[in-house]
Each structure stands twice: as C-alpha cells, then as structure tokens.
Amino acid sequence: MSYPLNKKQKQLTCSSANVVATVGLVDLVFDDLSTDELVHIFVFLSPEDIMRARLNRKMRDSAKKTIVPMTEYSVDSVKKYNAMAVMTTALPNLQQIVLRLLCRHGDLWLYNQYKYSDGEEPDESVAAQTADWVTHDIEIISNFRRLRILEIIYDAPLNGRYPFLFNFPLLQNLTVYSHYLKWDLEMLAVVPLLKELRCDDNQFLTGNINSLRVLKDTLELVEISTCRHVQGNFMDLANLPRLRVLYLLKIAVRGDVRDIGERDFLSLKQLTLPAGVYGGCGYKFQHISDAIDVARTYYLIRKQRSDLLIRELSEDSPDWYDSPDELDEPADSPPFNIIFVQAGSRMGYRWQNSYYCEPCEVNWLDPEPRKESNDYEKYLEELHEIEERPDLFRGFNQPPTSEQYHRLLLRRWNSKSPIHVARQRGPWRINILLQ
C-alpha cells in the first residue's frame, strides 16, 4: 500500500543522504512514520543510500520490504561483494546486479587473485591455475528473487555451470559476456519474462536458438555473437511477435534470407545474420547475379525499417579475381562488396570494394519520388552525394570483368589522375548500416 508524502517525508526525500545520517532528525521524524511509510520513502533511494539509512530496527525492517529501484549495483571489488552479501538479507528485493572482475580499488583496476567458487564441470586448466585464489560464494545471489536485470561482464571470475544464475522468475534483461561460464539456451525456460538477451564470447554456451521460442510472448532483443556452439535456423524465430532486434554473428546458425516472407519478423527493426546464413553478414556469393535476389529480400525487410550489413563475393566464385600485385593503392581493389544506399525515400544497392572508396553505380529498387513529393529536395541532395562517388567504376552497375578491371586500372595509371592521388583512404567502418 502506498501513502501520500507528508511534509516531513518530502523533506527527508529531498535530502536523503544527509537527513538519514542525522541521528537527531531520526528521533524527530522516523518515530512518527510507519514501516510502510518508510518503504515509500526508500524507493527513491539507491541501494547504497538505503543501506546507510538502516539506523534502527524499524528502518531495517522497512529496507527488507523495499522494492529497490532499478539502479545498477556493480560488484567489481571484494568490498562490493561483501556489501552484496549483506544485501542478500538486508535488501532481498534488489532488482539489478552487474558481476565484474573483483579487482577494483577506487578508480584503479588492479590484478588480484580473487574469484567466485567454481561451478559444476569447471574447466580443469582454469581451475588448476586459480586453485590458490581467494574464493567467494556466488550462490548467495540466488537470494535476490526479484532480480530483473543481471549482467555478467567480461572477466567475471566464473568457471563452470551455475544453474542458479538462470533461475530468476522475474528476470527481464540478461547479459552474459563470460568466457568460462558453461550454460545452455534451454536453461532460459525458467525465466518466462525475459525481454532482452545479450551473449558474446561465450565459448561454452551451447544449444539451439529454437529453444528461445519458449519466450515467444516476451522476447524483444536477441544478440548472440562469437558463441560457436550455438546452432539452429534463424527462421525458427520468424514468428516471435515482439522481436525488434536479431543480431547473430560468428555462430553456427544456418538459413536463407530468401525464406523470409511477408508475415515473418513483423516487428523487426534491426537484422544481422551470420555468414552461415545465405545472404548473411560475411556470406560470400558464388556469382554476382546471386546478389540480386538477396538484395531484393533485404529491400523488402528494410521497408519495415531493418538495418542491414555488408555481403561479399566469394573468392571461390568464377566471377572473382584478384587485384594485380603491383597495385599500390588498395582503394582501387575490385568492388566485390555489396551495400545498400538510400536517397530520400528511394532505396537501392551497389557494389564497392572493401575500402569503400570505389563504388559502382547504384541499382535502384524504388522508383524516383515525384517532384511534388515532400522529400523530393532531400532526395536530390542525397542523390547528388551518392552520384559523386563513382570514379574508377563509373558506368558499371555490377563489378567489371577481370579484363575490364585491368583496363580501367591501366587508364588510371596512365592518366595519373589528381583525384586518384587525393582520394581519402580510410579506414572506413566495416559494417555499413542503412541511414
């Protein structure tokens, strides 16, 4: 039950840290407040402030009942770990925790031999290397039954399986960047409210992404990268109605972007797929002509405002050729990468090289906007910028043949074009997103 704040409560809330620490004011104010009224005040304070406010039995009882506001509590030192250990009973309703390396001293990160207790089936080599380290019990975290956000960041000293880390019924946001933590996607079945899942560099993460279908009604974001044992077909997630972001990279997931239909991924705003998917990020086309169907598929997805990443021609393709050994300007390499461009509301794609300095002409997928349309001036302005780019491959809508390419290079070298000398080299971003 909540209560309106009276004058004394408002004074306390506005100057929480100083007021709470003043014993005299505690005698004047808190004796007049009930436990429920104190709870109503504590919800405006950080976990640290609530802990400092536990000056008497009534305030300690109020702290135990308080649903701690969504404020990050980062466990990055032994001191913070010890504080968390106290919070398991003093603030059991903590909602957000970040587990990090236990080596922070003020503003410095120092190498210390502290770790959490090994889990089930730990990596034996790591366990042997850390056998003499000071060990801390991580299972105490399971006391926070109202946890909604859990982040396990790089180098958090975990090794093995910890089933209790995935047993929080109210969990909505899970981030796992942990090299030696062993777990499986099927373990997420016990977190039915999960909305966002982020995993990176989890060499011991296993499972099939179809395991995520159990979260069909809640899942909004899935980011899994550099987790080579994660398998499945990305299309198994096509009918998740709330999924806004699907980012899969450097994992063993397969599929074909051309299988995406009009009724698939209806809420999607951003899509990145691994190289194992036909048309995925880093997928290498066997023929230049293969890119057209993929480009049109992504075009239809982009109409639903998804972001797209680069694809390229495979070195095994009969259409592929190498640049000459004497090439002294890498920016003149063949245009074997395909990206999407946009001018106003008009979309298209074009081929360009890996340095993004020499594109071919744009293959437009949309008609030119009408002159009386609201965005026509913006279209002309952006179109002018796009059409300024082609130089070496001007007039080519797809990569030239090997013979044509070498002729173009010879012509450039003979002309000694000042444009060639002055060209910006980069490096440019490797993943080009639609603007």
Side-chain angles (χ1 to χ4, degrees):
M1 179 182 298
S2 62
Y3 298 86
L5 294 178
N6 59 36
K7 184 176 180 180
K8 292 181 180 179
Q9 290 172 310
K10 290 179 180 178
Q11 291 174 344
L12 177 60
T13 302
C14 293
S15 55
S16 59
N18 292 331
V19 171
V20 166
T22 304
V23 177
L25 193 56
V26 169
D27 295 335
L28 294 174
V29 176
F30 286 106
D31 286 344
D32 297 334
L33 301 178
S34 68
T35 298
D36 289 338
E37 288 175 317
L38 286 173
V39 168
H40 190 73
I41 294 174
F42 284 171
V43 297
F44 293 98
L45 306 182
S46 68
E48 293 86 351
D49 284 340
I50 297 175
M51 291 297 291
R52 284 191 288 266
R54 298 165 58 252
L55 301 179
N56 56 41
R57 181 174 179 178
K58 180 190 293 186
M59 298 176 76
R60 288 192 289 272
D61 291 341
S62 299
K64 290 181 180 180
K65 295 181 179 181
T66 300
I67 307 299
V68 183
M70 299 291 282
T71 303
E72 176 181 306
Y73 183 77
S74 181
V75 185
D76 54 17
S77 66
V78 173
K79 181 179 179 180
K80 285 289 195 71
Y81 169 82
N82 291 334
M84 180 181 72
V86 176
M87 290 180 186
T88 58
T89 54
L91 289 181
N93 295 324
L94 192 68
Q95 297 190 88
Q96 184 173 356
I97 292 179
V98 181
L99 299 180
R100 300 178 183 269
L101 197 64
L102 298 173
C103 62
R104 186 163 186 170
H105 293 264
D107 293 331
L108 300 177
W109 290 87
L110 304 178
Y111 179 77
N112 287 312
Q113 295 183 337
Y114 300 114
K115 70 172 186 177
Y116 294 119
S117 52
D118 291 340
E120 304 169 8
E121 303 175 32
D123 182 274
E124 295 298 336
S125 62
V126 175
Q129 293 172 13
T130 61
D132 296 331
W133 289 23
V134 178
T135 300
H136 299 277
D137 180 17
I138 189 56
E139 192 168 1
I140 61 173
I141 196 176
S142 60
N143 289 323
F144 298 115
R145 303 311 299 161
R146 289 185 173 272
L147 202 64
R148 295 180 183 271
I149 298 177
L150 174 60
E151 298 180 48
I152 303 173
I153 305 299
Y154 295 113
D155 295 327
L158 297 167
N159 180 21
R161 298 185 184 278
Y162 303 83
F164 54 84
L165 289 178
F166 306 92
N167 189 21
F168 297 101
L170 301 182
L171 196 67
Q172 297 181 5
N173 190 319
L174 175 63
T175 298
V176 182
Y177 302 160
S178 181
H179 203 54
Y180 295 104
L181 176 62
K182 296 182 178 181
W183 62 293
D184 191 280
L185 291 177
E186 291 184 357
M187 298 172 72
L188 299 178
V190 296
V191 285
L193 302 181
L194 193 68
K195 294 182 179 180
E196 298 186 1
L197 173 65
R198 295 177 176 88
C199 307
D200 182 58
D201 197 21
N202 293 181
Q203 68 167 336
F204 292 112
L205 171 60
T206 58
N208 193 302
I209 60 170
N210 64 15
S211 302
L212 300 178
R213 290 177 54 80
V214 70
L215 303 171
K216 174 181 176 180
D217 295 329
T218 60
L219 209 54
E220 299 177 2
L221 180 148
V222 175
E223 294 182 357
I224 306 177
S225 60
T226 321
C227 302
R228 56 196 175 98
H229 297 299
V230 174
Q231 303 176 345
N233 190 310
F234 81 97
M235 287 298 295
D236 288 339
L237 306 182
N239 65 344
L240 270 61
R242 298 177 181 272
L243 190 62
R244 299 178 291 101
V245 176
L246 181 60
Y247 181 94
L248 307 175
L249 201 62
K250 296 182 180 180
I251 61 177
V253 166
R254 299 288 186 261
D256 190 328
V257 298
R258 296 171 298 181
D259 293 337
I260 300 176
E262 293 182 1
R263 304 300 300 171
D264 296 325
F265 298 108
L266 292 180
S267 299
L268 206 62
K269 300 300 180 183
Q270 182 175 332
L271 175 65
T272 302
L273 298 172
V277 173
Y278 186 96
C281 181
Y283 177 83
K284 296 185 176 182
F285 296 106
Q286 295 302 309
H287 300 276
I288 290 174
S289 57
D290 293 343
I292 298 176
D293 288 342
V294 172
R296 292 189 181 280
T297 298
Y298 276 121
Y299 162 73
L300 295 175
I301 300 172
R302 181 61 180 85
K303 284 298 185 180
Q304 299 176 7
R305 301 195 62 78
S306 294
D307 290 333
L308 309 175
L309 293 181
I310 197 165
R311 281 106 208 129
E312 58 186 315
L313 189 68
S314 171
E315 295 181 9
D316 298 326
S317 167
D319 297 325
W320 192 90
Y321 51 84
D322 204 352
S323 54
D325 294 336
E326 63 272 20
L327 184 67
D328 61 351
E329 179 60 77
D332 289 342
S333 57
F336 288 150
N337 295 286
I338 185 172
I339 66 165
F340 288 79
V341 296
Q342 185 167 0
S345 59
R346 192 184 192 191
M347 286 187 55
Y349 69 93
R350 67 183 176 192
W351 294 87
Q352 60 187 44
N353 60 30
S354 56
Y355 286 81
Y356 311 118
C357 295
E358 285 294 354
C360 295
E361 303 284 359
V362 176
N363 298 282
W364 292 107
L365 299 169
D366 283 323
E368 185 176 41
R370 305 177 71 165
K371 292 184 178 180
E372 60 270 20
S373 62
N374 294 332
D375 72 334
Y376 188 71
E377 290 187 6
K378 179 181 179 182
Y379 161 72
L380 290 179
E381 180 181 342
E382 295 178 351
L383 178 66
H384 178 70
E385 295 178 5
I386 291 172
E387 291 183 338
E388 277 186 334
R389 291 289 309 282
D391 179 21
L392 180 61
F393 304 117
R394 186 173 294 279
F396 288 86
N397 286 83
Q398 64 181 34
T401 64
S402 176
E403 181 181 351
Q404 291 171 326
Y405 170 69
H406 285 83
R407 251 197 331 261
L408 292 170
L409 284 183
L410 183 60
R411 183 188 308 164
R412 163 161 285 178
W413 292 341
N414 289 337
S415 67
K416 295 182 179 179
S417 166
I419 298 177
H420 171 67
V421 175
R423 182 181 301 107
Q424 181 178 355
R425 287 175 176 266
W428 291 36
R429 287 189 306 166
I430 237 172
N431 49 337
I432 303 299
L433 297 179
L434 281 174
Q435 302 301 319

